[in-house]
Amino acid sequence: LDSTFQCTLDMIKTNLQDFPDVRRNFFEMIRAINAKCFPALLGLQPAQFKLVMDSICWSIQHLDRTIAEIGLNTMLGMLTNFESTQAAAQFYKGYYMHILKEILKVLSDTFHKPGFRLHTAILQKLFIVIQSGAIPVPLWNPQNANFSNNVHFVQQSVVNLIGNSFKNITRRQAEEFVVGCFKLTNNLKDFKRHVRDFLIQLKEFSVDKDELYLEEKQKAQDDQKARDQAGRAAVPGLIKQS
């Protein structure tokens, strides 16, 4: 990994455009390792593993939809893989807040609207993790602040991050949004709708919001295609039998 990761990162870390094929294959490689060789990732030294996580976070910042989607799927897969491991608490302690901030960053960026489906899926999973008590140690520094539990800390952190990103949103609006998210973690469809409704309130998203509905549009197209095929199949001789 040292010989592969470092030299490749040196080629692609200065911007988001150079060597598109190299960076796409690089991020595909990380996704494949996570999907097929996850135990190997668990055996990495902390510095090596950090390089992997930094690479995933770098990939989701790309404006190239293919690369961003590769990164988001890898991140979602990483979170899923860690759920059933004894290393989960250590992983969350080290990376939970960093991942949360990165996801909120792209979720609130209008250039990344096509990734909304995966943004919300990752955000929902992060909130479920914190609600489940899977992180037994405080995510905050007890010397700097005091929170009743990790849920309280994460909620307040998200409220602050939203407030810093969108000056036209009041603290009360941000708090209502966060509380709503935590109430809807057991239903991804409702969770997505809640997040989308909040984003549409923002002037940055209110003008061109079509891409926030890409998943629904695709499903409608697939359903229509299925109905058309079923209709043709009901007419004898209309579809040539193979």
Side-chain angles (χ1 to χ4, degrees):
L1 286 178
D2 287 338
S3 59
T4 304
F5 270 66
Q6 196 57 61
C7 64
T8 307
L9 277 176
D10 288 342
M11 291 175 61
I12 66 175
K13 67 183 181 182
T14 55
N15 59 55
L16 298 171
Q17 292 87 30
D18 292 346
F19 310 107
D21 292 337
V22 172
R23 66 179 67 226
R24 187 178 299 112
N25 290 332
F26 175 67
F27 295 128
E28 279 283 17
M29 179 189 69
I30 298 175
R31 178 165 66 173
I33 292 173
N34 180 61
K36 305 295 184 181
C37 309
F38 180 69
L41 293 178
L42 294 178
L44 294 177
Q45 294 298 315
Q48 293 176 312
F49 186 78
K50 182 178 184 302
L51 202 59
V52 173
M53 291 304 300
D54 287 347
S55 298
I56 298 173
C57 290
W58 178 237
S59 67
I60 71 175
Q61 296 178 33
H62 283 67
L63 299 181
D64 182 297
R65 294 187 182 186
T66 300
I67 293 177
E69 188 168 312
I70 291 169
L72 291 166
N73 276 307
T74 304
M75 183 70 78
L76 188 59
M78 181 76 75
L79 293 173
T80 301
N81 286 339
F82 264 105
E83 286 176 346
S84 58
T85 69
Q86 294 182 344
Q90 182 180 359
F91 169 72
Y92 294 135
K93 174 64 176 175
Y95 291 99
Y96 183 95
M97 289 306 299
H98 181 60
I99 295 171
L100 179 61
K101 290 175 183 177
E102 291 296 324
I103 291 301
L104 287 173
K105 183 193 302 183
V106 291
L107 176 65
S108 60
D109 187 337
T110 56
F111 289 111
H112 288 275
K113 281 185 287 187
F116 176 77
R117 176 181 64 86
L118 288 168
H119 296 159
T120 49
I122 294 171
L123 191 63
Q124 180 208 31
K125 186 173 285 291
L126 289 171
F127 288 166
I128 289 174
V129 165
I130 209 69
Q131 287 177 315
S132 71
I135 311 176
V137 295
L139 289 175
W140 70 93
N141 186 344
Q143 296 180 347
N144 298 333
N146 186 31
F147 296 90
S148 56
N149 51 49
N150 280 330
V151 171
H152 182 213
F153 169 68
V154 169
Q155 288 178 333
Q156 291 303 306
S157 297
V158 176
V159 167
N160 292 333
L161 287 168
I162 291 173
N164 292 333
S165 298
F166 303 106
K167 302 303 181 183
N168 60 320
I169 291 293
T170 66
R171 185 170 184 85
R172 177 164 184 161
Q173 286 175 301
E175 289 173 345
E176 290 175 349
F177 164 68
V178 173
V179 169
C181 284
F182 274 79
K183 287 181 178 178
L184 296 171
T185 51
N186 63 341
N187 187 313
L188 180 56
K189 184 177 180 180
D190 289 344
F191 184 88
K192 265 192 253 185
R193 184 183 298 113
H194 178 67
V195 176
R196 182 167 52 211
D197 289 346
F198 174 76
L199 290 176
I200 291 173
Q201 292 181 55
L202 308 174
K203 62 182 181 181
E204 292 86 352
F205 285 83
S206 60
V207 177
D208 184 10
K209 53 185 181 252
D210 290 349
E211 288 181 305
L212 296 178
Y213 292 89
L214 286 178
E215 185 179 7
E216 287 78 3
K217 288 182 178 180
Q218 185 61 53
K219 185 178 184 306
Q221 291 173 1
D222 292 342
D223 290 346
Q224 184 60 51
K225 183 177 180 181
R227 286 194 294 269
D228 292 344
Q229 290 177 338
R232 289 195 296 271
V235 179
L238 187 60
I239 296 180
K240 183 179 180 181
Q241 300 297 318
S242 57

